[in-house]
Amino acid sequence: MAVLKVKFTKTKRDKLAQVLWILNWISVVTGVILFSLGLFLKVEINKRGELMAERDIQYVPNMLIAVGLIACAINFLGGKICYDCVDTTKFLRWKLIMLPYIICTFFFTFCVLVGAVMCYSMHGELEEALRLGLTEAMKFYKDTDTPGRCFLKRTVDMLQIQFQCCGNSGYKDWFQIQWISNRYLDMSHKEVMDRLRSNVEGKYLMDGVPFSCCNIDSPRPCIQQQITNNSAHFNYEHQTEELNLWMKGCRQALLEYYTHIVQSIVMSVCLFQLSVLTGVRYLQTSLENVLRQGDPNSESDGWLLENSFMETARINLNIIKNLGKNNQIDTGGNGDPNIDPSINPTRH
């Protein structure tokens, strides 16, 4: 019994072919989008390389670039096939190609789905790379006069402003590191010297954050020094002043930015590709039934599977088994299947 059988008239078949032609060209555009997304991610990862530890996360943009190129090629061919299938006689030239094309497209769609799963798996690796990279970048934030590190202050400041975030996990991360260079500390000031002496490593730690952590939506001037000292500021309670600083950590902000873009686009492309594949399968089976009937204007049935799922699986399994048997070579005749092993070659 056929699975999801639908009856098609000549008009419905023609309309289906025309719609699939349009959808295949839209799929070509989605392939270009995937390719562009892969390039975008590759550039973004390289651009923010100083904020990420050395991790193997380039496989995701590389996968998107490859999938995008394959999608363009497959759907370009699919558009040509569907365009010709409007004319039943032209379908004959594609009759033997359509089933392998559908199978290849199905496996390609499956690979896109695997790619979406890989994007989820990238989440953990990307998070760890960002955690380590941001920690290092914040540590060297103060080294504005050190070659090779002088750009990190601007990089971190721009990151916090652009993504409206502060610190690695949150603004309190800045309390654990010295982010002001010693060259800007007044060593003759008693409070400065007391802070330096009170720290085992001789670092100047304080409950303050860089200016880039300030929330532009705050109704009051930004408080970035003595953040946890309520008595140092008028009408201030740091536990409830959520608008004063960006509360989200930059690691979370970057993760949401990258993973949301990739996962949403890849899953959308995968679902769209499945819908196109389903339509092509209906078109193929309905046109093959028309050819069997011999009347190009007659009604015909289309389906996803000619038999039930279990029956289809059993038939395919038997085909695979028969192929394996046919490929076995009878060694009784020294490897030559044309020699009858029952005949003794020494007898005349």
Side-chain angles (χ1 to χ4, degrees):
M1 182 178 178
V3 176
L4 297 178
K5 184 166 66 173
V6 178
K7 189 170 290 291
F8 290 90
T9 63
K10 175 69 166 61
T11 304
K12 287 184 178 179
R13 285 195 304 270
D14 291 346
K15 286 183 178 179
L16 177 61
Q18 292 168 356
V19 169
L20 287 173
W21 175 74
I22 295 172
L23 292 180
N24 271 285
W25 277 107
I26 295 176
S27 295
V28 172
V29 176
T30 61
V32 174
I33 292 174
L34 281 177
F35 176 80
S36 303
L37 178 61
L39 287 180
F40 168 75
L41 278 179
K42 203 173 186 67
V43 171
E44 280 287 305
I45 290 174
N46 291 331
K47 184 172 70 175
R48 305 190 192 280
E50 64 272 10
L51 300 176
M52 300 181 186
E54 291 294 331
R55 292 273 170 171
D56 187 19
I57 55 178
Q58 289 284 356
Y59 66 89
V60 172
N62 292 337
M63 180 271 297
L64 290 174
I65 291 172
V67 167
L69 291 174
I70 296 172
C72 290
I74 286 180
N75 290 297
F76 179 83
L77 176 62
K80 174 62 177 173
I81 292 174
C82 293
Y83 180 81
D84 285 349
C85 284
V86 175
D87 186 351
T88 308
T89 56
K90 289 184 178 180
F91 168 71
L92 291 172
R93 72 175 72 167
W94 299 108
K95 184 176 182 294
L96 297 177
I97 298 177
M98 280 195 77
L99 186 57
Y101 166 79
I102 290 172
I103 294 173
C104 290
T105 306
F106 173 78
F107 280 108
F108 166 73
T109 307
F110 177 76
C111 290
V112 176
L113 184 60
V114 171
V117 175
M118 287 174 64
C119 293
Y120 282 96
S121 68
M122 182 191 74
H123 186 279
E125 295 183 20
L126 181 59
E127 182 176 13
E128 183 64 13
L130 286 170
R131 185 185 69 80
L132 297 175
L134 285 169
T135 300
E136 287 295 303
M138 291 170 62
K139 186 189 302 181
F140 300 129
Y141 179 89
K142 67 181 187 302
D143 298 340
T144 53
D145 54 350
T146 304
R149 300 176 185 171
C150 54
F151 62 90
L152 281 175
K153 179 184 181 300
R154 184 181 186 278
T155 300
V156 173
D157 282 334
M158 291 301 297
L159 173 71
Q160 294 188 145
I161 293 171
Q162 180 182 352
F163 287 90
Q164 299 183 351
C165 58
C166 184
N168 194 331
S169 302
Y171 70 90
K172 290 185 179 179
D173 293 336
W174 289 106
F175 300 175
Q176 311 302 320
I177 62 171
Q178 179 180 340
W179 55 273
I180 299 178
S181 175
N182 285 343
R183 65 186 294 190
Y184 300 114
L185 296 176
D186 185 1
M187 295 302 179
S188 63
H189 199 285
K190 183 179 182 301
E191 183 184 350
V192 173
M193 294 306 297
D194 288 344
R195 282 185 181 274
L196 290 172
R197 292 193 189 101
S198 64
N199 186 267
V200 177
E201 299 178 357
K203 295 181 179 180
Y204 183 78
L205 304 182
M206 60 178 183
D207 55 345
V209 297
F211 77 97
S212 53
C213 283
C214 291
N215 188 337
I216 59 174
D217 297 322
S218 176
R220 66 181 297 162
C222 180
I223 295 174
Q224 60 183 109
Q225 306 290 338
Q226 300 186 60
I227 294 173
T228 58
N229 187 0
N230 295 333
S231 62
H233 312 282
F234 177 73
N235 193 21
Y236 175 72
E237 181 66 38
H238 82 275
Q239 288 91 346
T240 58
E241 286 283 345
E242 294 185 359
L243 288 178
N244 182 54
L245 302 173
W246 301 123
M247 304 305 291
K248 182 183 293 185
C250 290
R251 179 171 19 126
Q252 181 185 352
L254 284 171
L255 275 174
E256 291 176 355
Y257 175 69
Y258 288 129
T259 56
H260 176 71
I261 291 176
V262 174
Q263 292 169 2
S264 58
I265 292 180
V266 172
M267 287 302 297
S268 299
V269 170
C270 183
L271 293 174
F272 185 78
Q273 196 72 40
L274 277 175
S275 63
V276 175
L277 180 62
T278 302
V280 173
R281 174 60 174 168
Y282 274 117
L283 181 64
Q284 177 226 352
T285 52
S286 62
L287 286 173
E288 285 187 350
N289 286 329
V290 165
L291 293 178
R292 292 191 187 101
Q293 294 170 10
D295 183 5
N297 296 317
S298 63
E299 290 186 349
S300 61
D301 291 331
W303 50 68
L304 291 182
L305 294 174
E306 187 172 1
N307 302 296
S308 65
F309 289 104
M310 294 299 296
E311 184 68 16
T312 301
R314 187 184 64 79
I315 292 173
N316 290 329
L317 186 62
N318 288 335
I319 292 174
I320 294 172
K321 287 181 179 179
N322 290 333
L323 287 175
K325 290 179 181 179
N326 292 335
N327 288 332
Q328 290 178 353
I329 298 175
D330 188 352
T331 58
N334 294 325
D336 188 348
N338 296 316
I339 299 177
D340 187 352
S342 63
I343 300 176
N344 191 342
T346 60
R347 295 174 60 186
H348 298 282

